Amino acid sequence: MSKSAFCCRSCGSPDLRLILSLGHTPLANALLTAEQLGAPEPVYPLDVVFCSNCALVQITETVPPEVLFSDYLYFSSFSDTMLKHAEALADELTQARGLGAESLVVEIASNDGYLLQFYKQRGVPVLGIEPAANIARAAEAERGIPTLCEFFGAELGQRLRAEGQQADVIHAHNVLAHVADLNGVVQGIAALLKPDGVAVIEVPYVKDLIDHREFDTIYHEHLCYFSLTALDRLFARYGLVIADVRRVPIHGGSLQIHAMRADAAVRSAAVQTLLAEEAAWGVDDFAFYAGFACAIEALRADLRTLLGSLKAQGKALAAYGASAKGSTLLNYCGIGAETLDFVADRSTYKQGRYTPGTHLPIVAPATLLQEQPDYVLLLTWNFADEILDQQAEYRRRGGQFIIPIPQVRVV
Ligand code: ZN
């Protein structure tokens, strides 16, 4: 897709301004096998733009979802933090909305059933929708979660409604940012909701991205970075009102919105307050986003200086968390095997593979104790508390973590 032809993913306006270019990078979740190391890796441009018409921040490149998600390696259940968040939310909604055996909870991009399992345990019927075939199978086989292996959009929402399936609660966590057909998904949600149903949607919050220099959350799977203002304009197009909003500390800072049909909803004070706050910091003004590129360049320089000086002192360095954000960080900062010996990761699906572009071997976390590197660069800084707890023994023996975001620090 040429940049001149690109129009806003939400409103269709061609009036877009460049915030940041991260160059051409490989797909952040395209981990390599040993046999693939010698072959050329496809790379795609990674440019972030601002829509002057509806305020949506977005990347311009759309990699086909079949390429991105066919063998998606991120299994939500591997994170304790995510599981606790999911169970608390299922509890809250089951009680608040009086859900029971006659209800239906649908999750779009239901992953391995990490969230729907908690509704199932409470006797509430569930339906997962998950396009990655291997993960949909795991949800059915391991958790007994009925799962449609399809991409969700207007067509599927309308088909389920025609089949008599409408939802009391629709969850879409960390998925709206991933879909190219943003309007189709919101239209599908509007079709699938019962008249008094609620859609609970979590998206990365653009304010946190900018304020905390979270540039590593930018990769080809994340097409959009939302403000409440931009979401409000998108949902209004389909007769939906954002009735409530919360800021949640997931994925470096997210918004959780509760959307309902316009005739069933009133805006909460929290929605009014956040919309007013966004107007005050300049959500509609390019000036707010304009300094981001300089801030990122400064962070890259700090990190490269620290790692270079440790390496010059003969220190052994490794990394933790073979995540997509780690891939963006390593590739943008130009940090690879000359600096880091390996990446440790809990996921057995990732161990034995190599990181995209930088080709670091991915090993089990136990390797940290076997090799005892002097410093570990924490690529999954959004789970810092959890990982530092898990690695207490490595730290007790003198190992130190380097946390790169929002500013480089050693702990
Ligand atoms: Zn727009």
Side-chain angles (χ1 to χ4, degrees), residues 8 11 51 54:
C8 173
C11 74
C51 174
C54 77

Side-chain angles (χ1 to χ4, degrees), residues 299-318:
L299 191 150
R300 171 170 64 180
D302 289 349
L303 183 59
R304 287 181 58 88
T305 301
L306 173 64
L307 297 181
S309 112
L310 293 173
K311 204 69 189 166
Q313 294 165 38
K315 304 294 186 188
L317 310 180

Side-chain angles (χ1 to χ4, degrees), residues 41 99 175 179 190 226 235 238 251 283 292 345 350 358 403-404:
E41 289 175 78
L99 302 180
V175 60
V179 294
F226 294 94
F235 280 73
Y238 300 96
H251 296 301
V283 67
F292 190 51
D345 197 290
K350 296 181 178 179
T358 48
I403 299 182

Side-chain angles (χ1 to χ4, degrees), residues 192-257:
L192 186 55
L193 268 187
K194 281 185 183 169
D196 62 345
V198 62
V200 178
I201 296 162
E202 287 182 3
V203 295
Y205 191 28
V206 70
K207 184 71 160 51
D208 290 314
L209 167 76
I210 303 285
D211 283 355
H212 305 139
R213 303 199 289 183
E214 295 167 355
F215 75 96
D216 57 340
T217 64
I218 299 166
Y219 42 92
H220 294 96
E221 290 165 21
H222 284 169
L223 302 173
C224 297
Y225 299 85
F226 294 94
S227 57
L228 184 60
T229 302
L231 286 167
D232 194 40
R233 292 166 181 162
L234 168 64
F235 280 73
R237 230 172 271 144
Y238 300 96
L240 297 174
V241 160
I242 298 174
D244 202 8
V245 64
R246 302 167 193 178
R247 291 180 73 165
V248 289
I250 289 274
H251 296 301
S254 298
L255 285 184
Q256 182 189 96
I257 61 162

Side-chain angles (χ1 to χ4, degrees), residues 178-404:
H178 293 240
V179 294
D181 184 11
L182 204 51
N183 285 280
V185 168
V186 179
Q187 197 181 349
I189 288 172
L192 186 55
L193 268 187
K194 281 185 183 169
D196 62 345
V198 62
V200 178
I201 296 162
E202 287 182 3
V203 295
Y205 191 28
V206 70
K207 184 71 160 51
D208 290 314
L209 167 76
I210 303 285
D211 283 355
H212 305 139
R213 303 199 289 183
E214 295 167 355
F215 75 96
D216 57 340
T217 64
I218 299 166
Y219 42 92
H220 294 96
E221 290 165 21
H222 284 169
L223 302 173
C224 297
Y225 299 85
F226 294 94
S227 57
L228 184 60
T229 302
L231 286 167
D232 194 40
R233 292 166 181 162
L234 168 64
F235 280 73
R237 230 172 271 144
Y238 300 96
L240 297 174
V241 160
I242 298 174
D244 202 8
V245 64
R246 302 167 193 178
R247 291 180 73 165
V248 289
I250 289 274
H251 296 301
S254 298
L255 285 184
Q256 182 189 96
I257 61 162
H258 295 216
M260 303 181 72
R261 294 194 182 181
D263 53 9
V266 282
R267 284 192 191 290
S268 69
V271 174
Q272 309 280 13
T273 302
L274 192 56
L275 286 173
E277 274 178 26
E278 290 189 349
W281 54 252
V283 67
D284 272 318
D285 185 353
F286 180 71
F288 172 74
Y289 310 91
F292 190 51
C294 285
I296 297 320
E297 281 163 26
L299 191 150
R300 171 170 64 180
D302 289 349
L303 183 59
R304 287 181 58 88
T305 301
L306 173 64
L307 297 181
S309 112
L310 293 173
K311 204 69 189 166
Q313 294 165 38
K315 304 294 186 188
L317 310 180
Y320 189 100
S323 56
K325 60 167 60 63
S327 181
T328 291
L329 186 136
L330 295 176
N331 280 294
Y332 172 70
C333 294
I335 300 165
E338 74 297 327
T339 306
L340 303 172
D341 296 336
F342 57 83
V343 182
D345 197 290
R346 270 171 96 187
S347 167
T348 51
Y349 295 86
K350 296 181 178 179
Q351 292 163 15
R353 299 195 187 212
Y354 295 81
T355 55
T358 48
H359 297 185
L360 300 173
I362 303 168
V363 301
T367 310
L368 289 180
L369 291 181
Q370 290 154 13
E371 302 288 330
Q372 194 65 34
D374 300 297
Y375 293 87
V376 172
L377 176 61
L378 184 55
L379 299 172
T380 42
W381 48 263
N382 49 325
F383 296 118
D385 291 345
E386 183 179 328
I387 292 164
L388 262 50
D389 272 357
Q390 288 161 7
Q391 298 305 325
E393 179 60 18
Y394 162 76
R395 299 177 75 206
R396 195 190 62 77
R397 297 183 191 179
Q400 290 184 281
F401 276 89
I402 299 167
I403 299 182

Side-chain angles (χ1 to χ4, degrees), residues 8-13 16 51-56 58:
C8 173
R9 297 175 185 278
S10 178
C11 74
S13 167
L16 304 164
C51 174
S52 302
N53 184 53
C54 77
L56 183 63
Q58 56 205 290

